[in-house]
């Protein structure tokens, strides 16, 4: 409706859609189907496969205008990244020869837009929540700015490649577009979500490992699974006890990268071979990232409150 749509995250209200008129107006600003008619090629440098926050907001509006967030009975539909790719990204970019990010930016002087932030995320998460976390963060988290250009695999990689082409591009993880971009960007934004444990996915583990190994500035965004357990535990405690509760929570539910999975078994095998002997160090580091996210959520939202509703 005209009032927009919020997501209620038990103590947080996150704006995920603007009003109908605003989204329709934004969607009309760019005709992606028209842009896709002129075939092009991907820039050789994967760092040029970036997409801006404004462009993500436009794509959200384009999906909205196409009815993508409504079921046949009119009820709200929360697309995950798999659905989004199959139903919108692939059709919009079919025949163009490029990814969605490059489709938006192919008229730039270098046929793409240089990314300065690498975004690590899970395909099983809600697209709307994902964009809202990039826009505003949660609690004390630091969101992206309108000047940031993000490298996000769902949008940056050409999704209409054949499985063989994709497999060849990532067969050596250290030579993959992911690692090439991570080596050059200034910053990494890790986006947690409530639906899927980010570090149950081996590529997310590998991205976090490289980001911390290479000394990148890392910001944590979004809501990790079971985050509500932490906020419930701290609600009646003094502020000086909050960090202890967060540490205890992460200790009770540790992340074990040895259990991480991938859509392709070859990906999992190749990445785990590169991490061989360092699994415990990687576990410690990815657990720290989750701890940072939880700390920002609790401190940012409840620093001036001693009790709150759950």
């Amino acid at each position: 409706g005209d009032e927009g749509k919020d997501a209620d995250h038990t103590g947080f209200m996150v704006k995920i859609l603007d009003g109908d008129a605003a989204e329709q107006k934004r969607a009309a600003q760019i005709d992606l189907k028209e842009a896709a008619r002129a075939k092009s090629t991907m820039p050789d440098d994967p760092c040029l496969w970036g997409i801006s926050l404004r462009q993500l907001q436009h794509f959200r509006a384009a999906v909205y205008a196409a009815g993508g967030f409504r079921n046949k009975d009119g009820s709200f539909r929360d697309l995950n990244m798999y659905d989004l790719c199959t139903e919108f990204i692939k059709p919009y970019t079919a025949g163009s020869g490029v990814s969605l990010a490059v489709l938006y930016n192919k008229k730039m002087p270098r046929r793409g837009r240089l990314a300065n932030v690498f975004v690590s995320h899970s395909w099983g998460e809600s697209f709307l929540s994902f964009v809202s976390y990039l826009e505003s963060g949660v609690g004390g988290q630091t969101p992206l700015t309108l000047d940031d250009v993000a490298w996000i695999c769902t949008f940056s990689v050409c999704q209409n490649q054949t499985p063989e082409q994709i497999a060849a591009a990532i067969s050596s993880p250290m030579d993959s577009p992911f690692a090439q971009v991570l080596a050059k960007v200034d910053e990494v934004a890790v986006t947690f979500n409530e639906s899927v444990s980010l570090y149950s996915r081996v590529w997310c583990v590998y991205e976090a490992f490289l980001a911390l190994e290479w000394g990148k500035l890392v910001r944590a965004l979004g809501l990790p699974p079971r985050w509500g357990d932490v906020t419930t535990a701290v609600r009646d405690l003094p502020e000086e006890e909050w960090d202890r509760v967060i540490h205890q929570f992460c200790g009770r539910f540790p992340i074990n990268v040895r259990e991480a999975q991938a859509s392709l078994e070859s990906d999992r095998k190749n990445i785990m071979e590169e991490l061989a002997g360092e699994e415990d160090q990687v576990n410690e580091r990815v657990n720290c990232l989750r701890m940072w996210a939880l700390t920002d959520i609790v401190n940012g939202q409840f620093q001036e409150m001693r009790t709150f509703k759950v």
Side-chain angles (χ1 to χ4, degrees):
D2 289 338
E3 73 284 355
K5 184 168 183 62
D6 298 327
D8 183 357
H9 289 292
T10 314
F12 303 100
M13 292 302 294
V14 179
K15 173 70 74 174
I16 59 174
L17 281 170
D18 289 323
D20 181 76
E23 294 292 352
Q24 294 285 0
K25 181 179 179 180
R26 183 180 286 143
Q29 292 172 352
I30 303 171
D31 187 339
L32 288 172
K33 291 183 179 179
E34 178 63 29
R37 289 196 178 100
K39 188 174 177 63
S40 186
T41 57
M42 295 288 287
D44 292 334
D45 183 356
C47 292
L48 291 169
W49 305 352
I51 187 168
S52 72
L53 185 56
R54 287 191 188 278
Q55 288 165 345
L56 283 172
Q57 290 168 335
H58 171 267
F59 189 62
R60 178 182 63 193
V63 174
Y64 175 84
F69 303 123
R70 293 290 177 190
N71 291 306
K72 290 182 179 180
D73 63 2
S75 60
F76 174 67
R77 182 186 181 209
D78 199 5
L79 293 169
N80 65 29
M81 295 294 200
Y82 293 110
D83 299 328
L84 186 77
C85 185
T86 299
E87 299 176 29
F88 292 94
I89 295 176
K90 284 186 175 182
Y92 273 120
T93 57
S96 69
V98 297
S99 67
L100 186 74
V102 174
L103 184 64
Y104 271 111
N105 297 299
K106 65 181 183 178
K107 291 186 178 180
M108 300 283 284
R110 299 175 67 184
R111 295 187 297 111
R113 200 161 186 172
L114 188 66
N116 69 296
V117 180
F118 183 101
V119 178
S120 182
H121 73 102
S122 166
W123 281 57
E125 70 189 314
S126 157
F127 167 60
L128 288 174
S129 293
F130 171 74
V131 176
S132 76
Y133 297 150
L134 297 182
E135 288 177 314
S136 58
V138 179
Q141 296 173 352
T142 303
L144 298 190
T145 71
L146 293 177
D147 294 326
D148 284 323
V149 179
W151 201 96
I152 308 167
C153 63
T154 309
F155 307 100
S156 296
V157 174
C158 182
Q159 299 299 339
N160 282 304
Q161 296 178 92
T162 66
E164 292 76 19
Q165 288 173 319
I166 294 175
I170 61 177
S171 59
S172 172
M174 189 58 75
D175 297 324
S176 68
F178 300 85
Q180 292 181 53
V181 176
L182 270 166
K184 295 181 181 179
V185 295
D186 301 321
E187 189 175 353
V188 175
V190 175
T191 54
F192 290 92
N193 71 92
E194 298 177 271
S195 303
V196 180
S197 175
L198 191 64
Y199 296 119
S200 67
R201 310 304 299 170
V202 76
W203 274 106
C204 296
V205 170
Y206 189 61
E207 291 160 5
F209 169 74
L210 291 182
L212 295 169
E213 185 77 7
W214 292 342
K216 301 295 179 179
L217 178 64
V218 180
R219 72 176 92 174
L221 297 171
L223 298 168
R226 303 182 66 115
W227 67 273
D229 292 353
V230 175
T231 56
T232 299
V234 304
R235 66 180 175 182
D236 296 322
L237 295 177
E239 185 176 334
E240 57 267 23
E241 293 289 309
W242 293 353
D243 284 346
R244 177 184 60 79
V245 171
I246 292 170
H247 278 76
Q248 287 179 343
F249 170 82
C250 292
R252 287 202 314 273
F253 303 102
I255 296 168
N256 186 354
V257 300
R258 294 177 180 87
E259 300 173 358
Q261 300 297 314
S263 298
L264 296 175
E265 174 59 22
S266 58
D267 285 2
R268 191 197 67 80
K269 181 180 177 181
N270 290 337
I271 289 173
M272 294 310 296
E273 284 179 356
E274 290 209 15
L275 299 180
E278 300 187 70
E279 293 90 348
D280 291 338
Q281 180 186 17
V282 175
N283 280 338
E284 182 179 352
R285 289 182 172 186
V286 296
N287 273 290
C288 281
L289 289 174
R290 180 178 57 169
M291 198 176 301
W292 296 348
L294 290 167
T295 299
D296 282 343
I297 290 167
V298 171
N299 290 343
Q301 190 75 1
F302 306 119
Q303 202 160 30
E304 297 180 359
M305 299 170 63
R306 290 297 177 266
T307 59
F308 53 91
K309 293 181 180 180
V310 175

